[in-house]
Amino acid sequence: MTLLWILLAFLLGSLPFAVWLGRLAGVDPRTVGDGNPGTFNVWKLAGWRVGVPVLVLDFSKGVVPAMLARQVWKGSGWALVAVIAAPVLGHAFSPFLRGRGGKGLATAFGVWTGLTLAEGPLILGAALTVGTLGLRLRDSWVVVLGLLALLADLLVRGWPWEAFAVWGITALLLAWGYRRNLYLPLRRENRPHA
């Protein structure tokens, strides 16, 4: 039964909504920016009318398995960790895209919502906002800041070990997704306004 839960969570996470909805709108998010088949690139190409549904769907494919695993299946231990982390793994290595999935940030937000309800996404969202608007960090370093803030919250609030295991797996997957930009300087360049 555990293997079935993990497989279903992985398959749900692997659904490339940005590519599929992008095609319906006549665009392919893999053709712009960093080539990532995710929300930001499809939003850039097709606007908010496609970007918002992709964001909601990518978020949902993380939150649904995590909530079902905790509330319905009542899993625990490594089985729970595997089910909760599987959607982010599926998003990053989608078999529908020959193993070349997205970075997984929206799906990770969903996973942390399913695991912690409002706490995880609020911590992540606040850190991402501070990193982007306040500190003007590059997107990869904004994600690192968000993960560190989430880890600090887990430590302070005394979450069980399963939460730390999920954190470690999602941190590794997000680092993999943002790996091309982690070697760049922390801060974005300040460009003069025209």
Side-chain angles (χ1 to χ4, degrees), residues 10-32:
F10 177 85
L11 286 174
L12 181 60
S14 71
L15 300 175
F17 292 116
V19 173
W20 292 345
L21 293 181
R23 281 185 189 151
L24 290 175
V27 299
D28 186 345
R30 297 170 292 183
T31 62
V32 298

Side-chain angles (χ1 to χ4, degrees), residues 130-142 181 184-190:
V130 167
T132 302
L133 301 177
L135 301 175
R136 296 190 47 80
L137 299 176
R138 292 190 184 276
D139 61 346
S140 54
W141 292 106
V142 169
N181 294 330
L184 296 172
L186 273 104
R187 298 173 76 96
R188 290 178 280 158
E189 294 176 13
N190 287 325

Side-chain angles (χ1 to χ4, degrees), residues 46-160:
W48 68 269
R49 286 189 174 100
V50 177
V52 169
V54 168
L55 177 63
V56 170
L57 289 167
D58 280 354
F59 173 83
S60 297
K61 67 187 187 180
V63 75
V64 169
M67 289 191 93
L68 287 175
R70 287 194 70 221
Q71 304 299 324
V72 177
W73 179 50
K74 307 269 190 216
S76 63
W78 284 109
L80 178 67
V81 171
V83 171
I84 291 176
V88 183
L89 184 66
H91 185 86
F93 300 100
S94 174
F96 296 102
L97 301 175
R98 298 182 186 150
R100 296 180 184 161
K103 293 176 181 172
L105 187 59
T107 306
F109 258 90
V111 160
W112 284 102
T113 302
L115 184 61
T116 67
L117 298 179
E119 188 174 334
L122 284 174
I123 297 292
L124 275 171
L128 295 180
T129 301
V130 167
T132 302
L133 301 177
L135 301 175
R136 296 190 47 80
L137 299 176
R138 292 190 184 276
D139 61 346
S140 54
W141 292 106
V142 169
V143 172
V144 169
L145 178 65
L147 288 167
L148 291 175
L150 182 60
L151 178 61
D153 180 68
L154 294 175
L155 288 166
V156 168
R157 307 261 300 163
W159 278 85

